[in-house]
Amino acid sequence: MDSLSKDFSGALKGVYISTYGCQMNVNDTERMFSLLEMINYAPVPSAEQAQLIIINSCSVREKPVHKVVSEVGRYKKLKMKNPDLKIGVAGCVAQQERGRLLKRLPLLDFVFGPDSIDELPEIVQKLDESKKPFHQTRLKNKEPYHIQTLIRNPKVTAFVNITKGCDNFCTFCIVPYTRGRERSRPIEHLLEDIKQLCGRGVKEVTLLGQNVNSYRSPCGAGFAELLKRLAKETPISRIRFTTSHPKDFDEELVSIIAEHRDKIMESIHLPVQSGNDEVLRRMNRGYTRKDYIEKVKIIFEKIPDAVLSTDIIVGFPGESEEQFKDTLSLLDEVPYEGIFAFCYSPRPFTKAALDPNPVPKKIQSERLKELNEKHQAFAFDLVQKYKGKVLDVLVEKRDEKGGLLTGRSSQNKLVYFSGPADLIGQEVPVCIEKAFPQTLYGRKI
Ligand code: SAH
Ligand code: SF4
Ligand code: F3S
């Protein structure tokens, strides 16, 4: 990459973006690179080489503003050396803090929210004219959601946004405030978008939304219909999606996944958050433990080799030891292959942040440890079922360390095996020899 900076002629400028948070932010960063390329900016591998630095921030947990403040602080020397260097903050902290960030951080030149990404070329051009720092953080809550996926050099896998925003207002979550109201892209646009990605060599798409199950095209088509049409009408080989919300995950959807098993992958991320009904009610999740387990039962009835993963919050305000035990015991009933567990952290604007009974940090950490240890103990046994099995692996790249090829199986497991580089981009049968909770090792057959 060093040669890239050497190649810079007068016309090309370097941009460095640091990205935090979810896949949506990862996809937004790629979108920013594509848009900036149109005005002659090229990515550089370090902030030192950049004329433009963007921090694409996340505010879902723990001291997000602090993280932005300290990263901007690290760029102070660069700005002193080069007064023409521009520094901006994007993403969910930008939307949460808006103009306040500019007041707090005099080094910043601009702040822009998730709904202003497509205006980035104009924003950057405005930087040259504007003498004063500014923010562009209007949420476009009423406008239709018409975008096209922008990827500079597509690999075999790609993210595709299908919805933006969220209307669920779980009481712990800041996302409805930072990403605004939920909007869905028209189904015809998505079909066309994904056909074009296929034409550029993409074999697998991951459909992104905060709650993909509540996708609704302006023509009325829902998520199950979208999956069905993508499977039938586009040449895409593999379809994944995230995140599903248990309250909207219905039997029709399970049937469609089962019917199109050749294309729709069987790994389902279904965040439960808690195994206790009272906590779920106070989280405003819209389902009970029984509803959730019932849905899991239907999934396994129709898709016997489904692979489930989940998100869990421990130490939600007022969570008692007994209530936490209900979350622990859920692990005995649902065979999760992966869990992403977090200590509750109060977020601005949210209802739970006002709760007068926070769980002390020490207890939160103990619960988190206990939960992860319990899962760890059986996750290893759970994945031994893959030993001796032949899995189809879509090869993505060569691992830098060991020289092995890596890719994902339909179960979304990371698989390593040795083979020639021309297998990259192909689906390859691999017989699994060693299995760990996160990764599998095998041999090409
Ligand atoms: N839309 C997704 C979640 C997006 S946020 C869904 O509904 O599942 C990703 C995860 O972060 C959540 O599932 C939750 O487990 C966690 N999370 C969100 N807000 C949090 C908070 N205030 N404290 C701790 N974890 C939180
Ligand atoms: Fe947040 Fe709930 Fe929306 Fe997920 S569904 S983004 S947890 S409000
Ligand atoms: Fe973070 Fe915003 Fe994603 S808060 S998790 S970057 S939607």
Side-chain angles (χ1 to χ4, degrees):
M1 285 296 267
D2 260 332
S3 59
L4 184 64
S5 57
K6 283 184 205 134
D7 285 344
F8 285 154
S9 60
L12 270 186
K13 290 180 168 183
V15 53
Y16 178 78
I17 307 183
S18 59
T19 309
Y20 300 83
C22 59
Q23 285 117 324
M24 224 162 264
N25 254 17
V26 172
N27 207 23
D28 285 349
T29 290
E30 178 54 38
R31 190 170 191 82
M32 289 181 211
F33 279 133
S34 301
L35 291 161
L36 289 167
E37 193 171 58
M38 296 175 198
I39 53 164
N40 286 335
Y41 276 85
V44 286
S46 75
E48 284 70 26
Q49 291 163 272
Q51 279 95 325
L52 174 65
I53 296 175
I54 297 173
I55 301 168
N56 193 9
S57 63
C58 166
S59 57
V60 83
R61 281 178 291 274
E62 299 155 303
K63 303 191 180 141
V65 181
H66 179 82
K67 282 183 197 155
V68 170
V69 171
S70 71
E71 182 164 348
V72 173
R74 291 204 299 275
Y75 300 142
K76 189 170 178 183
K77 275 196 195 133
L78 297 178
K79 186 97 172 176
M80 304 237 281
K81 259 203 280 179
N82 172 14
D84 291 335
L85 171 68
K86 304 289 183 209
I87 306 177
V89 178
C92 289
V93 175
Q95 192 60 44
Q96 173 191 315
E97 295 297 309
R98 302 179 182 217
R100 282 194 296 274
L101 266 186
L102 297 173
K103 286 211 185 94
R104 182 157 176 190
L105 292 166
L107 281 186
L108 282 186
D109 297 284
F110 64 116
V111 165
F112 66 109
D115 275 1
S116 301
I117 292 173
D118 282 7
E119 292 143 38
L120 189 55
E122 293 95 78
I123 291 176
V124 172
Q125 272 155 355
K126 206 161 103 185
L127 285 173
D128 293 330
E129 298 147 26
S130 156
K131 295 274 168 282
K132 266 185 20 201
F134 62 90
H135 70 98
Q136 210 145 308
T137 45
R138 189 174 72 84
L139 283 174
K140 295 176 183 149
N141 285 335
K142 298 223 169 88
E143 278 119 279
Y145 185 31
H146 288 179
I147 59 157
Q148 191 196 353
T149 302
L150 295 179
I151 304 176
R152 289 158 305 149
N153 303 305
K155 305 212 163 56
V156 274
T157 64
F159 290 132
V160 173
N161 289 42
I162 64 166
T163 66
K164 68 170 180 126
C166 183
D167 291 348
N168 286 317
F169 293 92
C170 301
T171 56
F172 52 81
C173 183
I174 196 167
V175 173
Y177 304 93
T178 59
R179 298 268 167 172
R181 299 291 55 75
E182 186 180 285
R183 287 283 170 273
S184 298
R185 293 176 60 192
I187 193 165
E188 300 297 338
H189 291 197
L190 283 165
L191 289 164
E192 195 45 46
D193 205 9
I194 289 171
K195 279 183 202 160
Q196 284 194 19
L197 289 172
C198 293
R200 298 173 72 199
V202 171
K203 299 236 167 85
E204 173 184 300
V205 287
T206 302
L207 310 175
L208 295 182
Q210 288 302 341
N211 174 3
V212 286
N213 311 120
S214 61
Y215 169 84
R216 189 148 300 277
S217 172
C219 68
F223 186 57
E225 171 87 11
L226 171 65
L227 286 183
K228 188 162 80 182
R229 290 193 58 188
L230 284 174
K232 280 190 174 165
E233 297 172 33
T234 73
I236 196 76
S237 310
R238 290 174 157 205
I239 304 167
R240 300 187 191 279
F241 48 86
T242 194
T243 302
S244 293
H245 194 303
K247 83 176 160 59
D248 302 311
F249 201 97
D250 59 19
E251 204 164 341
E252 185 200 357
L253 179 58
V254 183
S255 304
I256 295 283
I257 300 172
E259 203 179 307
H260 296 279
R261 281 288 314 286
D262 55 326
K263 288 191 159 193
I264 305 174
M265 302 296 98
E266 66 269 39
S267 60
I268 297 169
H269 186 61
L270 200 59
V272 67
Q273 313 299 358
S274 166
N276 175 269
D277 284 347
E278 172 58 15
V279 174
L280 286 171
R281 191 187 61 72
R282 290 192 297 110
M283 285 177 163
N284 190 30
R285 288 293 287 180
Y287 53 85
T288 61
R289 176 188 177 104
K290 191 160 158 265
D291 296 336
Y292 185 91
I293 291 174
E294 192 54 38
K295 293 197 186 200
V296 169
K297 225 173 94 198
I298 295 171
I299 292 175
F300 281 115
E301 266 165 25
K302 299 205 175 186
I303 315 167
D305 51 357
V307 171
L308 285 192
S309 57
T310 199
D311 291 348
I312 292 173
I313 294 178
V314 299
F316 183 76
E319 183 191 65
S320 67
E321 199 54 42
E322 283 310 303
Q323 290 171 334
F324 169 63
K325 290 268 170 342
D326 285 343
T327 299
L328 278 180
S329 72
L330 190 70
L331 300 193
D332 302 321
E333 296 197 49
V334 184
Y336 293 118
E337 289 194 23
I339 64 168
F340 300 88
F342 314 99
C343 292
Y344 167 77
S345 136
R347 314 305 321 127
F349 319 123
T350 61
K351 200 170 161 202
L354 305 173
D355 194 294
N357 296 307
V359 174
K361 273 227 148 59
K362 187 167 168 282
I363 296 181
Q364 285 188 324
S365 310
E366 284 166 9
R367 289 182 187 169
L368 184 67
K369 189 162 169 264
E370 192 177 349
L371 182 70
N372 279 330
E373 280 174 0
K374 173 160 182 173
H375 182 254
Q376 222 28 55
F378 68 68
F380 185 80
D381 294 338
L382 210 57
V383 297
Q384 298 313 310
K385 67 180 176 199
Y386 293 115
K387 260 166 90 177
K389 267 202 181 163
V390 175
L391 307 183
D392 283 331
V393 177
L394 179 59
V395 187
E396 292 177 31
K397 59 180 182 191
R398 192 180 281 292
D399 168 48
E400 282 139 27
K401 280 185 240 151
L404 297 174
L405 294 177
T406 76
R408 295 210 172 249
S409 69
S410 59
Q411 298 83 356
N412 210 14
K413 295 280 169 207
L414 196 58
V415 181
Y416 289 83
F417 66 101
S418 73
D422 58 6
L423 293 178
I424 294 172
Q426 294 185 36
E427 252 183 296
V428 175
V430 176
C431 180
I432 302 306
E433 293 172 332
K434 271 195 236 161
F436 299 97
Q438 312 304 336
T439 41
L440 306 175
Y441 292 84
R443 153 178 68 75
K444 176 183 168 298
I445 55 163

